[in-house]
Amino acid sequence: MGRTGRTTGTAEAGAGHRTGEYGKPRRTHRRRRALLAALITAAVVVPLSGAARPEIPAPAPAALAPVTATTLDKAYAANRANAAEAARMAAAHGNRDRAAADREMADASRQFLTFDGRGAGLATEVFGDLAHADRIAVLVPGSDTSIDTYDRFRDAARALYERLTSEVPQGTGTAVVAWLGYETPGTVSTTVTTTGRAEQAAPKLREFIRRLRAVTGQEARLSLLCHSYGSVVCGRAASHLDVDDIALVGSPGTGADTAAALHTPARVWAARGGDDWVAEVPHVSVDLLGTTVGFGTDPISPSFGARVFAAGDGGHSDYFRPGSTSLANLTRIVLGETSEVTHG
């Protein structure tokens, strides 16, 4: 499920009014809830075509050897250079918004493991010293996340990193990885009601985690934090992921009936904010002509069997909001302080 617009979700706390999904006012929640319920029904009988994305020119991704702890800086530099070239090409094409987004990503302070400015764009950004981190969180985003809307995803990762660094025990290193490694579905499309994009993304996530382990080593504690449609991706990939914890937040379902059916040795967590419109999404799963529509059991239901933790009364975009109950509990999960997690 997704987000629209290029506004920040983590700055909502002091905005003077409560907002919904990454800047969407709450007054739109009822309409969005009705729309999402209708989409799941419509997807069964009235296939819709997704809106075509305009082609934005950009160079091919930088050619890099497998990244190791000693070559991280070279990878970061190569991807910044690639983003700078993408900015020049987008500007020459007349797309000033994309050029500005690419230019920000080329800033000397940014650390990208991967960058691909073509089409909607893909990027994997690191916060912290990955080579020496003992506790690492990987964020997997939901729908409508692209280079054009990347700032809000970045804000979530930064908020988590800042909370981790403020609470981590002395002598323990932390890092956060924002993994936009798949083409996310559009919120207003039938792709967001099916597992198709998740099935395409799952092998990419598995390969990324494998490569990440090559950088961090097996001793590092790795947590996967999956938001909205990103939880469908994590559900599809779970059985082959070398991670310690999988946290599902704002999840419409994973495509599995139970946590056990994910076939993962990782601890499986789930949470939903009290004002999250995803609660209204029907928890159905229907096979139609080889396509699965809907995502099955609600991950916070007792029958699913996840470790349900408290997320407060926030909305769909509030899980990483500074000061929130959900961010506090996600921080505890990443740090391995599982006995301190408060339950919903």
Side-chain angles (χ1 to χ4, degrees):
M1 319 310 284
R3 318 163 184 129
T4 56
R6 197 171 176 230
T7 55
T8 58
T10 56
E12 291 173 353
H17 64 276
R18 297 297 299 276
T19 57
E21 189 169 351
Y22 287 101
K24 280 283 189 180
R26 278 190 185 176
R27 62 178 176 271
T28 66
H29 282 192
R30 291 178 182 174
R31 284 177 293 178
R32 187 184 287 269
R33 288 167 177 165
L35 174 62
L36 287 169
L39 275 173
I40 285 183
T41 302
V44 177
V45 293
V46 187
L48 303 175
S49 59
R53 293 183 184 271
E55 287 299 320
I56 299 174
L64 298 170
V67 178
T68 66
T70 59
T71 62
L72 277 171
D73 288 341
K74 290 182 179 180
Y76 295 157
N79 285 311
R80 286 194 299 267
N82 192 276
E85 178 61 21
R88 288 189 287 271
M89 293 177 70
H93 188 67
N95 193 313
R96 290 181 294 178
D97 289 342
R98 173 58 70 84
D102 289 337
R103 198 173 299 117
E104 289 178 7
M105 290 179 159
D107 186 86
S109 65
R110 307 292 284 272
Q111 301 182 144
F112 286 96
L113 284 172
T114 65
F115 176 83
D116 184 351
R118 299 172 298 181
L122 303 173
T124 303
E125 187 167 11
V126 174
F127 301 83
D129 183 356
L130 184 61
H132 298 97
D134 306 294
R135 304 287 185 268
I136 301 161
V138 177
L139 273 60
V140 180
S143 64
D144 283 327
T145 307
S146 66
I147 285 181
D148 296 315
T149 61
Y150 181 78
D151 279 355
R152 66 202 182 192
F153 182 42
R154 183 173 191 256
D155 285 342
R158 289 180 63 187
L160 176 62
Y161 180 65
E162 290 170 3
R163 182 69 183 254
L164 285 170
T165 55
S166 70
E167 296 191 12
V168 67
Q170 188 173 4
T172 300
T174 64
V176 173
V177 181
W179 184 77
L180 175 55
Y182 77 108
E183 183 179 355
T184 66
T187 300
V188 184
S189 71
T190 54
T191 56
V192 82
T193 67
T194 70
T195 60
R197 293 289 175 90
E199 289 164 355
Q200 294 170 10
K204 298 176 182 179
L205 180 57
R206 291 168 180 161
E207 177 63 14
F208 172 71
I209 295 297
R210 187 187 68 79
R211 290 178 179 269
L212 185 62
R213 281 293 188 190
V215 175
T216 64
Q218 293 298 316
E219 298 303 315
R221 181 187 182 88
L222 193 58
S223 300
L224 198 61
L225 312 184
C226 318
H227 179 241
S228 199
Y229 190 88
S231 65
V232 188
V233 176
C234 293
R236 280 290 185 266
S239 62
H240 294 86
L241 294 177
D242 182 12
V243 298
D244 298 279
D245 294 274
I246 298 174
L248 315 169
V249 293
S251 174
T254 63
D257 291 332
T258 64
L262 296 176
H263 301 295
T264 173
R267 282 176 290 266
V268 179
W269 306 79
R272 185 164 62 228
D275 196 45
D276 189 340
W277 51 261
V278 84
E280 303 299 325
V281 174
H283 291 286
V284 298
S285 182
V286 178
D287 290 328
L288 178 68
L289 301 178
T291 299
T292 301
V293 179
F295 310 113
T297 308
D298 185 349
I300 70 166
S301 67
S303 63
F304 188 75
R307 303 179 183 211
V308 178
F309 63 94
D313 62 356
H316 197 60
S317 67
D318 293 333
Y319 293 99
F320 297 91
R321 177 168 52 85
S324 65
T325 298
S326 54
L327 183 60
N329 278 326
L330 288 168
T331 299
R332 292 167 185 143
I333 291 169
V334 174
L335 292 178
E337 299 170 351
T338 55
S339 63
E340 302 299 318
V341 174
T342 60
H343 297 277

